Amino acid sequence: MPSAVSVVARSYPDRIIGIENRLPWHLGTDLKNFRALTQGHVIVMGRKTFESIGKPLPKRINIVLSREKISDSESVKWVNNLETALLLADYYSILMGRSQFFVIGGENIYSLFEKHIHKIFLTDVFTGNINGDAKFDFDFPSDEWYFKYEKEFPESEIDDFSFRISYLVRRRWKHRQRFIDEYKASNPL
């Protein structure tokens, strides 16, 4: 089964990921990293995130999870529940020969997928205190997660703020399999 991976950028220390359906910063270096991670993979997002991007991200299968129907295309697939999103993400990842897919936001989508995520690429943007209307308010206890690496980046001409990218890995790799086993046990044929 492909691994579910989150990619998220949040302010530090407030954990803000958006304001009025937009990122409150521009980080060219982080965007390049995001593109390198996700191109050629399946990405899952909510409708508001999809609308804020303004178009399907190229060279990716874009799965949009929303109660409101959107038009499907070759690279955009609409789903209205978590189970279908997981099924399609697994299906297209396997077809593409990929061992993981990416969950890219927003706040509600991160919460829905939280228990299914195996890895997180977390960008902490050193904005200082800011206000916003969407958060990624998760902690990563050391008994459940470990930091594989962290890398710091300074403010620059293409980056509004300095930031840190951390790569976190969940300690129990069979996490999604456990949910499948529990489902099978509670729903015998």
Side-chain angles (χ1 to χ4, degrees), residues 56-87:
L57 290 175
K59 300 181 183 174
R60 288 158 267 217
I61 298 293
N62 297 253
I63 297 175
V64 181
L65 175 55
S66 173
R67 288 182 288 269
E68 294 181 33
K69 183 157 177 49
I70 65 164
S71 298
D72 282 355
S73 69
E74 186 176 326
S75 66
V76 177
K77 307 300 177 196
W78 169 73
V79 297
N80 64 359
N81 60 60
L82 173 66
E83 294 76 17
T84 306
L86 286 167
L87 176 68

Side-chain angles (χ1 to χ4, degrees), residues 13-71:
D14 295 323
R15 301 177 174 190
I16 300 296
I17 61 172
I19 183 165
E20 296 177 0
N21 209 28
R22 295 184 27 215
L23 290 173
W25 52 73
H26 177 78
L27 301 175
T29 305
D30 192 48
L31 289 173
K32 287 178 188 174
N33 182 60
F34 174 83
R35 186 180 318 116
L37 283 170
T38 63
Q39 269 190 349
H41 289 83
V42 173
I43 56 175
V44 181
M45 69 192 93
R47 179 188 49 81
K48 288 181 183 178
T49 299
F50 181 69
E51 289 174 352
S52 74
I53 295 169
K55 63 181 180 185
L57 290 175
K59 300 181 183 174
R60 288 158 267 217
I61 298 293
N62 297 253
I63 297 175
V64 181
L65 175 55
S66 173
R67 288 182 288 269
E68 294 181 33
K69 183 157 177 49
I70 65 164
S71 298

